[in-house]
Amino acid sequence: MRDPACEEITREHPCYSKAAARWFGRVHLPVAPDCNIKCRYCTRLYDCANENRPGVTSRLMTPGEALQYVKRVVERDGRIRVVGVAGPGEPLANKATMHTLQLVHHRFPELIKCISTNGLLLTGSLPALREAGVRAVTVTVNAVSPAVGSRIYDYVSYRGQVYKGTAGAELLWRAQHAGIRLARELGMVVKVNSVLIPGVNDVHLEEVARAVKAAGAHVMNIIPLIPQGKFAGLLPPPPERVNLLRQKLSPIIEQMTHCRRCRADAAGLLT
């Protein structure tokens, strides 16, 4: 069944289409330092100019600075089609995210607005995101089983309370599932990122793929673990293992194979 909303975005969004990645670029705006979840593979040391990984930026920007930055990037590179907020923390846990998206959408309504989130606050944020022009949403879903999730997340902070163990993981997946479904109902295109953690969720990712597809996700991006934080002692999965898993899951949900694990201040073509 054709989905015109998906087709329109994937034609020019480099993260949703390998063909689009050859011709069109994106710019990430690092305006969101705070986070409401502690993932065991994450380190909050984001001020680094030499690492190419999610959650890293050379510096933070204010919404006003971000708008000026977009103006400069678009003037310099006519291939830019997407403006997104992907960190360095959780975008929806930072008021600056919505302000930034509103400013950019007012000045550049023709650009695709995108957000990358852990999904905890997604449902309640979707009306405002839609008003700010957001049409593409990426949700990081590493587990749909509370038992597996409890091995990935140290805690989940929600509405003034801290949830640990299976309670936190269950709360998170429930919020993610509801957010993905509502985003699709509102006409947005949803990509799911899943970090492949050997010995933790590698076997479980097939269940994740089925669950997020059923919720309405359009594409899945399996990201091999970068060993750091409490998972610093693990070995990253080799490329051939990642590719085999993508092949296995591709009949369930379309797989992204050209991810560059972008920084929170990335700009230009993925290549």
Side-chain angles (χ1 to χ4, degrees):
M1 181 178 178
R2 291 182 67 252
D3 189 330
C6 285
E7 291 176 2
E8 181 182 0
I9 293 174
T10 56
R11 274 198 301 270
E12 296 189 343
H13 197 310
C15 297
Y16 286 76
S17 164
K18 195 170 185 178
R22 295 175 57 195
W23 304 106
F24 302 117
R26 81 296 187 224
V27 54
H28 288 175
L29 305 176
V31 297
D34 296 331
C35 196
N36 48 13
I37 291 177
K38 184 64 177 77
C39 303
R40 291 179 178 164
Y41 55 72
C42 180
T43 173
R44 299 289 174 81
L45 301 176
Y46 57 77
D47 183 13
C48 182
N50 301 312
E51 286 189 89
N52 188 43
R53 61 173 175 83
V56 168
T57 182
S58 296
R59 71 180 186 90
L60 295 171
M61 296 181 184
T62 66
E65 289 173 336
L67 177 60
Q68 295 305 314
Y69 178 58
V70 173
K71 290 180 179 178
R72 293 196 300 272
V73 172
V74 170
E75 288 173 0
R76 186 174 67 239
D77 191 343
R79 299 170 297 181
I80 298 297
R81 292 292 186 276
V82 178
V83 178
V85 179
E90 162 53 35
L92 298 182
N94 294 261
K95 291 182 180 180
T97 296
M98 209 67 72
H99 187 196
T100 300
L101 291 169
Q102 291 167 348
L103 289 175
V104 173
H105 185 52
H106 179 74
R107 176 63 180 80
F108 298 98
E110 73 282 5
L111 296 179
I112 297 171
K113 314 306 176 308
C114 184
I115 193 166
S116 181
T117 173
N118 59 37
L120 183 63
L121 302 176
L122 181 56
T123 302
S125 303
L126 280 169
L129 288 171
R130 191 183 188 190
E131 286 186 11
V134 172
R135 300 167 63 197
V137 176
T138 293
V139 184
T140 299
V141 181
N142 298 315
V144 299
S145 159
V148 177
S150 68
R151 300 175 62 191
I152 299 173
Y153 307 107
D154 270 345
Y155 65 79
V156 173
S157 178
Y158 182 67
R159 293 183 176 177
Q161 287 190 272
V162 174
Y163 300 83
K164 297 183 178 182
T166 56
E170 184 176 11
L171 171 66
L172 178 59
W173 165 237
R174 191 164 60 244
Q176 292 170 333
H177 182 265
I180 292 170
R181 291 190 63 179
L182 182 57
R184 284 299 298 128
E185 290 174 7
L186 293 175
M188 298 177 182
V189 182
V190 180
K191 175 168 68 73
V192 164
N193 285 349
S194 297
V195 179
L196 171 56
I197 310 168
V200 177
N201 71 344
D202 41 0
V203 175
H204 178 59
L205 286 184
E206 180 174 349
E207 186 177 349
V208 172
R210 295 186 186 281
V212 299
K213 177 63 175 180
H218 176 72
V219 64
M220 182 182 193
N221 177 27
I222 297 174
I223 303 175
L225 174 75
I226 299 175
Q228 58 184 6
K230 290 189 175 181
F231 288 150
L234 296 181
L235 293 175
E240 57 269 22
R241 185 176 180 186
V242 178
N243 290 333
L244 284 173
L245 183 58
R246 287 170 175 161
Q247 292 173 19
K248 179 181 179 181
L249 301 187
S250 60
I252 301 171
I253 182 172
E254 182 180 341
Q255 296 290 310
M256 179 182 181
T257 60
H258 58 286
C259 176
R260 294 295 182 266
R261 300 194 290 199
C262 298
R263 293 164 53 100
D265 59 358
L269 298 180
L270 265 69
T271 52

